[in-house]
Amino acid sequence: MTAFATTDSTAPHRRLTGWSGDADYFEFREYDTFEPKALLDVLHGRIAGVMFRGMVTPGTCAELAERFWASPARKTRGVEAPGYFLGAYHYHKTTAAYLEESAEVAAALDHVLAVPDNPLKIFYEGLDGVLAEDGATVRLARHGNREACRGLLRSWHGQGEYALAPHDDLSQCTEPQQADFEVQKVAGYQPAALNICLENGDGGRLAYWNIRPDDASKRALGLHYTGSPYPLDTLEGIELQWVDVHAGDVYVFNGAHVHAVEPNTDPQLRRTTLAGILGFVDDKTVVSWT
């Protein structure tokens, strides 16, 4: 595990406190082919992120995007992340509500993903193969006989500096309404955010800060269970990476860090992704959800 250093909090403004990685950790390691073993470095907290450039062919990207936009099951999301989506969000819901929504949308989602080179299937089959070498497995998160949603298709059209405001994915794993849901065990490891870019007309970079906010910062801001949105002034002076993203790229990063998404420079152009969250719940089991 890479050693972390505490971020300086002596600045006159209310900078976040927490843990920041060293130079060997805080990078997005790039590959021009899918290398499933590289995913273990993110899941085990050894590196911030990995990027598989052009992993999905242009034809598959176009087909999945068109199926998403044509789906009658596509919905509109409100203030949390304005845009459209197909799938289910676990964010700020009871376990039962999230799993019920996951079941309701499963057939429509399966229909959209029914393409010959389904990148979500390829991704998880590759991950399962390398986990098996260590006697570990990956599966959908579950509660009783219900399973989490397998993937989330989404497109943002937010206005302002960020289309998706600065946030972290770890805080959601402490939501009291989901105290009975196994995804909360991921907080003992780190959540890995999966993003498969299908469309990204212009701009739409990932902003990724070298800070995993501590509980003191989260509670002071009232974000302990939501992790969103972090005020921009709290991020001043904290190391920031801008990650360029293009259609066909697949990237996975430690979602405990604060991150955001830049809007497209042309609001008429679409940014569409297929996404999910995954992480260890014990030393031999990785679960995924949305």
Side-chain angles (χ1 to χ4, degrees), residues 1-2 4 44 80 105 113 129 148 166 173 196 201 238 243 272:
M1 182 76 171
T2 301
F4 290 88
H44 287 298
E80 301 96 341
V105 78
L113 295 175
C173 296
I196 300 170
I238 296 174
V243 181
T272 305

Side-chain angles (χ1 to χ4, degrees), residues 15-254:
R15 182 191 296 180
L16 288 179
T17 56
W19 296 100
S20 298
D22 59 22
D24 289 334
Y25 166 84
F26 191 61
E27 67 168 316
F28 273 66
R29 195 168 293 157
E30 294 203 9
Y31 300 84
D32 55 13
T33 59
F34 181 38
E35 299 286 349
K37 284 199 175 204
L39 299 170
L40 300 183
D41 288 331
V42 180
L43 288 166
H44 287 298
R46 296 189 288 258
I47 193 170
V50 293
M51 168 72 77
F52 306 111
R53 293 289 185 191
M55 176 177 160
V56 188
T57 66
T60 297
C61 287
E63 176 69 13
L64 284 171
E66 289 310 311
R67 284 174 174 239
F68 164 67
W69 288 104
S71 175
R74 177 170 56 88
K75 296 180 180 179
T76 302
R77 195 178 190 203
V79 295
E80 301 96 341
Y84 302 98
F85 74 98
L86 174 61
Y89 285 92
H90 86 118
Y91 184 77
H92 219 39
K93 295 173 184 169
T94 64
T95 304
Y98 167 64
L99 294 176
E100 183 177 339
E101 290 177 18
S102 297
E104 289 174 351
V105 78
L109 185 61
D110 287 346
H111 175 73
V112 171
L113 295 175
V115 296
D117 296 315
N118 176 358
L120 202 61
K121 183 174 183 288
I122 292 170
F123 177 88
Y124 280 109
E125 285 181 347
L127 175 58
D128 194 44
V130 296
L131 286 171
E133 296 175 13
D134 294 327
T137 60
V138 59
R139 59 169 173 79
L140 291 173
R142 60 194 180 211
H143 182 262
N145 60 359
R146 290 181 167 186
E147 290 185 324
C149 188
R150 70 179 59 256
L152 180 70
L153 286 146
R154 59 191 180 182
S155 182
W156 299 298
H157 58 270
Q159 302 297 316
E161 188 162 357
Y162 293 103
L164 189 60
H167 66 284
D168 79 83
D169 299 328
L170 180 60
S171 300
Q172 304 167 35
C173 296
T174 64
E175 166 62 64
Q177 297 180 94
Q178 295 178 11
D180 58 344
F181 197 15
E182 64 178 341
V183 303
Q184 299 224 336
K185 297 177 183 177
V186 174
Y189 298 85
Q190 46 270 319
L194 163 66
N195 288 271
I196 300 170
C197 182
L198 304 177
E199 300 179 293
N200 201 15
D202 189 19
R205 297 177 297 174
L206 172 72
Y208 192 78
W209 284 268
N210 192 5
I211 185 73
R212 295 167 52 163
D214 55 25
D215 284 351
S217 282
K218 293 178 185 181
R219 290 185 184 280
L221 293 168
L223 305 178
H224 187 64
Y225 299 129
T226 63
S228 180
Y230 285 95
L232 292 179
D233 69 306
T234 68
L235 297 165
E236 290 178 14
I238 296 174
E239 185 180 10
L240 167 66
Q241 267 194 74
W242 285 103
V243 181
D244 288 310
V245 180
H246 308 288
D249 292 344
V250 177
Y251 55 108
V252 182
F253 57 86
N254 189 331

